Amino acid sequence: MKVVLLMLATIAAVSGQTEPWCRCAAFVTYEYYEIMVHEEPEIPIDSCDANGALQCKTTCADNLDTLSDNGNLWKLMDSGLTIGQDICSELADHFTFFLYNHKVYGYFEVCGGAWQYAGIASQQKLCCEGGKQHHCID
């Protein structure tokens, strides 16, 4: 009986293991919640421990910085849209048509854990009116 229990415990432990993974996304932050406005493709990492978290954070920050030219919401993408307009369009697709004076922040998630700040933010604040990017007036 002990052998059967030991085998079941071993099988449960092995089947519970998953490959380490990392998510990376940009969010607009409100007082009580965040809205994801862009998600990068999954980032492969070596582990789900502190080393994997550092690898995830660094790669995420590098990817978002490269995508946005270090957080420039007015950077023109290959599609002909600015980064900010792409975000305003994404927000409008989810029925958020107006947004005033919000920074966009990069976050990462390791192996299904909590989202953590990646240490990067947009250079400018984002303003969307009717789903269109506008220059913000403070």
Side-chain angles (χ1 to χ4, degrees):
M1 184 66 164
K2 289 180 183 179
V3 173
V4 171
L5 289 175
L6 181 59
M7 288 181 69
L8 288 174
T10 303
I11 290 170
V14 171
S15 65
Q17 294 176 344
T18 60
E19 291 294 317
W21 52 277
C22 166
R23 290 176 67 192
C24 175
F27 288 81
V28 172
T29 301
Y30 288 87
E31 187 174 357
Y32 298 109
Y33 62 96
E34 285 83 28
I35 297 175
M36 183 187 296
V37 294
H38 171 79
E39 185 168 10
E40 285 287 291
E42 188 175 297
I43 298 168
I45 56 175
D46 297 329
S47 65
C48 293
D49 62 11
N51 290 331
L54 180 60
Q55 183 183 12
C56 180
K57 178 181 180 179
T58 303
T59 305
C60 177
D62 290 347
N63 288 357
L64 292 175
D65 276 344
T66 299
L67 172 74
S68 66
D69 192 22
N70 296 314
N72 181 4
L73 296 177
W74 290 97
K75 179 190 177 201
L76 200 58
M77 301 184 315
D78 292 339
S79 66
L81 299 175
T82 63
I83 296 288
Q85 180 55 56
D86 189 58
I87 293 170
C88 289
S89 297
E90 176 70 22
L91 288 168
D93 287 347
H94 293 93
F95 306 106
T96 300
F97 300 102
F98 297 93
L99 176 83
Y100 297 104
N101 296 318
H102 283 269
K103 291 257 186 171
V104 180
Y105 297 96
Y107 285 86
F108 68 98
E109 176 190 33
V110 178
C111 302
W115 285 98
Q116 300 174 63
Y117 180 53
I120 60 168
S122 59
Q123 295 173 21
Q124 308 89 3
K125 291 180 179 178
L126 180 64
C127 289
C128 306
E129 292 184 12
K132 304 290 183 206
Q133 182 186 20
H134 290 274
H135 288 280
C136 295
I137 300 172
D138 284 327

